[in-house]
Amino acid sequence: NVFIDSDNLSDLDLLFDIVKTKVHTLVVYLTQDTLRRPWCAGEITTAFSASQAKVLCIWLPSFVEPTLEEMQDLSTYVDETGCSLRQYAIAWDAVRDSFEFLLDPEITPRINMVNAPRSVRQYEQLADAVNKGYPCDLFGESSEKFPPIPGESDQIVVSADRMDEEAIAAAGIFVGKIQERLFHRE
């Protein structure tokens, strides 16, 4: 199964439990506000601290890393309007550590989309890279090779900013391309 996290934000306990127990790969689709969303911060923190999930970053042109000051006080960086991470027993120190792991290319493989062509073809190339574990240098940036996605029984979650319509549309195309490739393996 491949799904976008914003398809099921009504029960974050369930979403975090899925990340903890069933997700093989968490794909973090980094747009301008992804890390500001509490459900994304919670998924990333759960993946790094409580699960065996692999994490992959897809770094888009709109993404800007949190500043040092923002990292020091994530309670003012993450928008908790309507959702508090504390109610899910997720501490700010754990979120900070997870963000640091996520943003460190030595720890977390990334695909840099900054120089990617703007077309559906980019999602096909991206899905091939994620599905087969290609090195992450498709668009001019290099990173370590990451393990290919396993068989159909494992879960893949694409974490995207549901407040960004472009991000949701792009994540939807990406999910469709990954699903095509999972069910049509060579």
Side-chain angles (χ1 to χ4, degrees), residues 10-127:
S10 60
D11 186 351
L12 291 184
D13 273 327
L14 176 62
L15 181 61
F16 297 154
D17 186 59
I18 288 170
V19 170
K20 182 178 181 178
T21 62
K22 296 182 180 171
V23 169
H24 179 272
T25 306
L26 176 68
V27 178
V28 182
Y29 202 78
L30 288 172
T31 60
Q32 179 178 346
D33 290 323
T34 303
L35 296 183
R36 293 181 184 274
R37 305 298 178 213
W39 61 89
C40 295
E43 290 169 336
I44 293 163
T45 303
T46 300
F48 278 114
S49 63
S51 82
Q52 300 297 316
K54 307 274 187 262
V55 179
L56 169 67
C57 283
I58 298 176
W59 197 292
L60 291 144
S62 67
F63 179 69
V64 176
E65 290 186 57
T67 65
L68 183 58
E69 293 79 25
E70 290 168 330
M71 288 292 281
Q72 289 173 346
D73 188 9
L74 287 173
S75 67
T76 60
Y77 178 76
V78 176
D79 178 7
E80 288 194 295
T81 305
C83 174
S84 171
L85 291 174
R86 290 180 300 280
Q87 76 187 71
Y88 301 100
I90 297 175
W92 290 120
D93 287 341
V95 175
R96 182 178 309 102
D97 291 346
S98 297
F99 281 8
E100 288 173 357
F101 292 149
L102 180 75
L103 299 173
D104 184 342
E106 298 294 321
I107 297 172
T108 304
R110 83 171 53 150
I111 296 175
N112 190 333
M113 300 288 287
V114 172
N115 298 316
R118 302 288 184 256
S119 70
V120 173
R121 179 75 182 121
Q122 81 183 21
Y123 299 103
E124 292 169 353
Q125 291 174 314
L126 191 54

Side-chain angles (χ1 to χ4, degrees), residues 120-147:
V120 173
R121 179 75 182 121
Q122 81 183 21
Y123 299 103
E124 292 169 353
Q125 291 174 314
L126 191 54
D128 282 339
V130 172
N131 191 38
K132 296 179 180 174
Y134 291 163
C136 304
D137 62 356
L138 291 175
F139 305 108
E141 294 285 325
S142 62
S143 183
E144 295 297 311
K145 184 176 173 82
F146 54 93

